[in-house]
Amino acid sequence: MLKRLYRWLDLRIGVGEIVEKELTGYLLPRNINEWYSLGSVLLVIFALQVITGMLLMIYYVPDADKAFKSVTFIMNEVPYGWLIRLCHAVGSNMMVAVLILHMLSTLLMGSYKAPRELNWVTGFTLLALVQGISLTGYLAPWSQLSFWATTVATNSASAVPVVGPYLVEFLRGGKLVGPPTLGRFFALHAAVLPVVIAAVIGAHLFLLKRTGISAPPFGREGTANPFEAQQYHYQGHPGGIPFFPNYVLQDLTSISIYFAVFLAVVFFWPGMPFTPDAFVPADPFKTPAHIKPEWYFLANYQTLKIFPSELLGLSVQAAAMTFLALLPFIDRSPERHPLKRPVFLTLVIAGILLWIALSVWGHLS
Amino acid sequence: MIRKNTLAILVLASFAFLKPALAAPVEQPETVCIQCHGTLPDRLGAPVNLWRGSIHADNGISCNGCHGGDPKDAANAMTPQRGFLGAPKEKDIPAFCGRCHPGVYKDYLSSAHGRALGAGGPTCVTCHSNHQVVKASLALINEKSCTRCHSFDRARAIRDAMQQTEGYIDNISRRIADFQVSGVDTEKMAKSLFSVRNRFHTLFHDVDVARVKGESAAINKELGKLDAALKEIERSHEKRRVAGGIAVGFMVLLAVLFHLMKKSYD
């Protein structure tokens, strides 16, 4: 039956050709490793965020008077509403975590190097967009946590010289965080950013298909034909392993492991994405004692605090982000093995340690 | 010397930039009452130290909160024109405290203790002490205090009846708080507990054993309803965890399976 359907489709639209080109005949480097499957994991996470987000939208009301109550209703009255909301909230944290791992593996294996600069730039753009969608989603439940975290986050824009105060007002839709802020953040979160993210993911995958996948600089003997920047050519892997079924099974393994961890958090550590302030309705007249951003913004938050002026802190962050975004254009040596790039490796490790230290400091202070 | 100071200023100035990270909580400025009386000996200074260890001090209620007067003007702090009241006579003590605690005042007046006011009966400070005011709790009903005036039997019966209820209220309150910070809609339960707790608190100044026992029993029944509602939520959360455990196990199994399938292709 399935075979007949396949033959019927093949006769009309040439399914066999697509399968041959994109799946069984799409060859990957023989030494490809598990880290390469994180991209697929991220795709699944994004899809799950979109689906759970759509389901939440059925009951969620983006109105400052009703938002908190509607979220409480979802958590307590809607059948499996708690599960959908927890998946969405935990999923956003996991998305950032997996995204960071995906970028770290790209860094350490030097996959961002020529001819894949654009893959890196689009990936970096995705990191910024995911942070943006997390921040805008944070306001949605209109809790004390939402309200004050957004107040602090939007306030940091005031450090920008000259236009700072106007920028803050533009972001908030008023002098203070209030109903207009919820309106614009919700529109960004549920309509603008998902579409932009989907488009950039599309570009990221398009670039991946056009340049061909990079071979890791270690492991079994490579299969890539070396890249020479004379003219465009697809970096194929003759003699490599087929994407289907070999690497699809690796993708499925990683996705299953991800789900095991994800569900463990959802069911056994449901408080992970929340602090107690997340369950108190927003109150502009009552500042909670400890306002902290999400873990992935703690380092930025601490940076703003340790510099004598916010502008300096903001500039340092902007410089660090720009440096990372443009890394493939700065680091031009073709060597990709991390152990043969001691200066680079030291910088990466120092950078990670600095980030962790700032985050811990930010968490404790 | 000057150099040392310059250095200190420079060091401190650099700390000033770090202010947001190091900012200490702002302390309430001391009132002139404390500034002056704090240094006085004996009867005039002792209340300040006693007050420091009181529930009033913990809640930011200073001398002028009870005694009136102007806490900002040392010269006129104790003039009646600025509302200074001084110390009340013994039979005026309950009314003095009752200005802020009207409910308790009413409960006290209608109790045997209150009816004996002025005839050797206890006032607020007999059990709660003056200045070093002790927070209301069942610990105040103890043999040492009560036997100053009468035998402890009746008081013990009252305390025993209330102790159980208090423990029950604490237990339910803690469970509601735990659920509240995990997203459970506890608003109705919290409101209901609030009214039960208020009802319970009216018993604190009652010394009628039968009434305390009867009311405690009624309150326990109310608490039982809350307990049952909480147990229901606990059961459903337990079910969720079992389902979650199965789901996680299934995913681990899938991961192993996919991994083995992949191995077979290598």
Side-chain angles (χ1 to χ4, degrees), chain A residues 305-341:
Chain A
K305 287 203 299 181
I306 51 181
F307 280 96
S309 84
E310 281 213 333
L311 176 61
L312 200 59
L314 216 59
S315 312
V316 167
Q317 282 178 39
M321 290 295 264
T322 312
F323 175 75
L324 260 181
L326 300 180
L327 185 64
F329 304 102
I330 299 162
D331 175 15
R332 304 202 57 85
S333 99
E335 179 55 57
R336 291 176 44 212
H337 197 294
L339 293 181
K340 290 175 190 155
R341 299 188 288 155

Side-chain angles (χ1 to χ4, degrees), chain A residues 76 82 245 250 253 267-268 279, chain B residues 180-181 183 185 240 244 258 262:
Chain A
N76 291 278
W82 58 274
Q250 175 56 55
T253 309
F267 282 99
F268 297 99
F279 302 106
Chain B
Q180 203 254 327
V181 297
D185 188 4
R240 281 182 196 178
F258 285 134
K262 179 186 166 260

Side-chain angles (χ1 to χ4, degrees), chain B residues 234-251:
Chain B
E234 277 153 14
R235 260 195 300 277
S236 81
H237 281 208
E238 191 53 42
K239 264 195 229 157
R240 281 182 196 178
R241 276 193 289 273
V242 171
I246 294 170
V248 171
F250 179 68
M251 283 302 159

